[in-house]
Amino acid sequence: MATNQEHVKLLGATGSPFVCRVQIALKLKGIEYEFLEENLATKSELLLKYNPVHKKVPVFVHNDKPISESLVILEYIDEVWKQNPILPTDPHQRALARFWSKFIDDKIVSASSKSVFTLDEKEREKNVEETTEALQFLQNELKGKYFGGEEFNFVDIAAVFVAFWIPLVQDIIGLQLFTAEKFPKLYNWSQEFLDHPVVKETIPPREPLFAFFKGRYESLLAASK
Amino acid sequence: MADEVILLDYWVSPFGMRVRIALAEKGIKHEYREEDLRNKSPLLLQMNPVHKKIPVLIHNGKSICESLIAVQYIDEVWNEKSPLLPSDPYQRSQARFWADYVDKKIYEVGRNLWTKKGEEQEAAKKEFIEALKLLEQELGDKTYFGGDKIGFVDVALIPFYTWFKGYETFGNINVEKECPKFIAWAKRCMQVESISKSLPDQDKVYGFIVEITKKFGLE
């Protein structure tokens, strides 16, 4: 629908897993948009105007109306552009999709990051344990090719963090957090998902992102000395 | 087919209160089961194996966990009356955003008000008032966050009002003085039947907080 395609903007940062989620959904639905790269160290006036509450990316702007928080944005996109739906129609299935996406945000994102970006061994151990338990729950939820079944859906998109970002950051310190040996089913899913043409074309280039995170870890080390 | 609806809950939980309000607003017949959180029922452990927490909504044997997810589920299934989410997608996104804000800010920061001391408590006080002021701004001139009738954000937020006596006493803040509009909104909500009959007495909640602080030496 022509009117829905007008004035679609995404304020983001290449390398953000939350921005990536939105980009995957937009690509899946074939929605054209203008991408505005934000420098998170010096936030633009536009970002501060569109997301005064959290001052974060992604911010999705449709006909000058901004929406923040990646999972909220995904629901909006799915409601406005009906092709290639990412949420099921059945209310209970929808509740489950929302549950697992929230689970990833609440239980996996922070704990997995803290497993790497800490110099305190006790804290690392605690977060590794938490992440491992959470990944186990997530893996048990996988019943088909994707969390969405034959096609990827809301949960798969939310889980791009697990598929791409966790393996990347764990490599900085050689941490065996999410591996094929520990989570064979989930690992297979991640490879399938990352290989899907829509996802493949959307995830950021690995090398520069790895360098960025490695730099962050090294700053952490330097600061402690 | 008659619907079987069960709510596993704990009387003082603001998250449980959200689901109670939604069920009441829609006039849904259900069985309320109070859980002993030190001795969780097999049903709770079976229906919420991941978090083992309340509230859990069980509809015809299928469980829905996480309060805001349960409220949305209720809104979608019992959609003939009292819609809690707006029909316009953009308005819906804003309702979801603000409910998420309540989750991120009010519960954790509120808890710090009565569990922390010194600098941490001072920081929590500042953050709490700031959050309420932001919510006041979002409310604007509306009667409720949902407009003329209560909506998703009202349901998400009002339960925490029952904890205010605790926050204010232990946190040494005066919300009415700092955020009069917020209190005015809360009082309007308490006039709504589905809300007033779903929430416990503020004094009882306060008594609970006093007990906990004594038990864990937080005073």
Side-chain angles (χ1 to χ4, degrees):
Chain A
M1 291 205 176
T3 39
N4 286 343
Q5 302 266 145
E6 283 167 17
H7 311 298
V8 180
K9 286 199 272 242
L10 177 64
L11 276 73
T14 309
S16 157
F18 308 102
V19 172
C20 188
R21 289 171 172 176
V22 180
Q23 290 175 299
I24 292 172
L26 291 169
K27 186 144 202 108
L28 178 69
K29 292 184 181 256
I31 301 162
E32 278 177 36
Y33 62 100
E34 186 190 349
F35 184 76
L36 298 167
E37 179 90 31
E38 281 288 324
N39 177 342
L40 299 179
T42 52
K43 295 173 182 182
S44 74
E45 272 192 47
L46 202 64
L47 175 61
L48 299 177
K49 171 180 141 189
Y50 282 146
N51 191 0
V53 176
H54 300 304
K55 307 176 176 61
K56 288 179 171 179
V57 292
V59 181
F60 185 71
V61 188
H62 185 205
N63 294 334
D64 278 326
K65 294 200 266 194
I67 303 161
S68 307
E69 295 301 302
S70 61
L71 299 183
V72 174
I73 296 169
L74 291 184
E75 294 233 22
Y76 176 81
I77 290 171
D78 206 42
E79 285 174 17
V80 174
W81 290 274
K82 312 262 190 215
Q83 66 275 27
N84 298 336
I86 56 178
L87 270 165
T89 44
D90 171 73
H92 190 253
Q93 293 302 316
R94 290 161 76 83
L96 286 174
R98 288 174 176 140
F99 177 88
W100 287 105
S101 309
K102 184 177 201 289
F103 179 80
I104 290 163
D105 272 1
D106 291 346
K107 295 288 175 187
I108 295 178
V109 171
S110 176
S112 60
S113 303
K114 285 183 185 164
S115 299
V116 174
F117 295 102
T118 183
L119 302 173
D120 179 342
E121 276 316 305
K122 274 222 171 88
E123 204 191 314
R124 189 190 316 286
E125 256 176 60
K126 179 174 104 125
N127 282 289
V128 167
E129 210 184 298
E130 271 181 46
T131 309
T132 303
E133 192 188 63
L135 288 175
Q136 195 59 59
F137 273 124
L138 189 65
Q139 180 171 256
N140 291 347
E141 200 43 34
L142 195 56
K143 286 161 183 116
K145 185 175 176 192
Y146 298 110
F147 290 97
E150 278 305 296
E151 298 291 340
F152 72 76
N153 82 348
F154 198 78
V155 180
D156 299 273
I157 297 174
V160 73
F161 177 86
V162 176
F164 188 72
W165 272 263
I166 296 184
L168 192 146
V169 300
Q170 73 183 8
D171 276 354
I172 297 170
I173 58 172
L175 184 68
Q176 306 282 299
L177 186 59
F178 173 40
T179 62
E181 291 73 37
K182 290 193 172 156
F183 301 99
K185 254 176 84 180
L186 196 61
Y187 186 80
N188 281 345
W189 160 82
S190 72
Q191 298 309 291
E192 282 274 10
F193 185 58
L194 293 176
D195 217 36
H196 189 291
V198 167
V199 181
K200 208 171 188 172
E201 287 170 32
T202 311
I203 49 177
R206 202 182 193 275
E207 298 301 305
L209 193 58
F210 181 78
F212 169 78
F213 281 120
K214 185 150 191 268
R216 201 190 254 187
Y217 182 75
E218 278 161 4
S219 301
L220 195 64
L221 273 176
S224 73
K225 298 206 164 102
Chain B
M1 181 180 81
D3 275 321
E4 190 201 44
V5 181
I6 302 169
L7 175 63
L8 304 179
D9 200 348
Y10 185 62
W11 71 280
V12 88
S13 161
F15 306 102
M17 291 175 213
R18 290 167 166 177
V19 187
R20 281 175 241 165
I21 297 169
L23 290 167
E25 191 62 16
K26 304 271 186 177
I28 299 164
K29 273 203 169 113
H30 63 281
E31 185 194 336
Y32 177 93
R33 284 195 206 170
E34 185 78 9
E35 284 282 331
D36 176 356
L37 298 181
R38 290 156 307 176
N39 186 16
K40 294 174 181 178
S41 73
L43 185 64
L44 173 56
L45 300 177
Q46 180 201 354
M47 290 287 151
N48 191 357
V50 175
H51 300 301
K52 306 176 179 58
K53 286 181 172 179
I54 54 91
V56 179
L57 182 73
I58 308 172
H59 182 206
N60 295 331
K62 293 201 217 162
S63 66
I64 299 103
C65 308
E66 295 300 302
S67 60
L68 294 182
I69 294 176
V71 171
Q72 284 186 87
Y73 175 84
I74 289 167
D75 204 41
E76 286 176 17
V77 174
W78 287 273
N79 56 13
E80 333 79 40
K81 71 181 260 204
S82 303
L84 294 170
L85 276 151
S87 48
D88 170 69
Y90 185 72
Q91 296 306 321
R92 290 158 78 83
S93 77
Q94 297 310 289
R96 289 183 175 124
F97 174 86
W98 286 105
D100 173 70
Y101 180 81
V102 173
D103 264 2
K104 286 183 161 92
K105 285 285 176 185
I106 304 295
Y107 178 65
E108 284 301 326
V109 179
R111 199 161 68 141
N112 287 343
L113 279 179
W114 62 277
T115 55
K116 305 270 190 237
K117 290 270 170 280
E119 253 180 63
E120 273 185 293
Q121 194 188 46
E122 284 305 309
K125 276 162 74 166
K126 193 160 167 274
E127 233 188 304
F128 191 72
I129 296 295
E130 266 170 28
L132 294 187
K133 286 205 159 113
L134 197 59
L135 286 162
E136 276 186 327
Q137 218 182 326
E138 177 54 25
L139 178 66
D141 291 321
K142 302 197 291 289
T143 311
Y144 307 104
F145 287 92
D148 295 326
K149 297 187 88 182
I150 61 165
F152 195 58
V153 181
D154 303 276
V155 174
L157 183 55
I158 193 62
F160 295 100
Y161 181 61
T162 60
W163 283 63
F164 271 26
K165 192 165 174 189
Y167 293 160
E168 288 183 307
T169 311
F170 286 91
N172 193 25
I173 53 170
N174 183 339
V175 179
E176 181 135 29
K177 185 157 152 243
E178 307 260 9
C179 310
K181 275 181 83 173
F182 186 92
I183 296 297
W185 160 81
K187 290 184 172 164
R188 286 196 293 276
C189 282
M190 295 308 289
Q191 299 299 310
V192 176
E193 202 192 328
S194 60
I195 292 176
S196 61
K197 80 177 197 186
S198 302
L199 302 189
D201 192 72
Q202 270 218 40
D203 289 321
K204 286 210 172 109
V205 178
Y206 179 68
F208 170 84
I209 297 174
V210 170
E211 240 185 81
I212 296 282
T213 49
K214 282 204 179 117
K215 205 176 196 175
F216 294 101
L218 293 165
E219 30 185 11

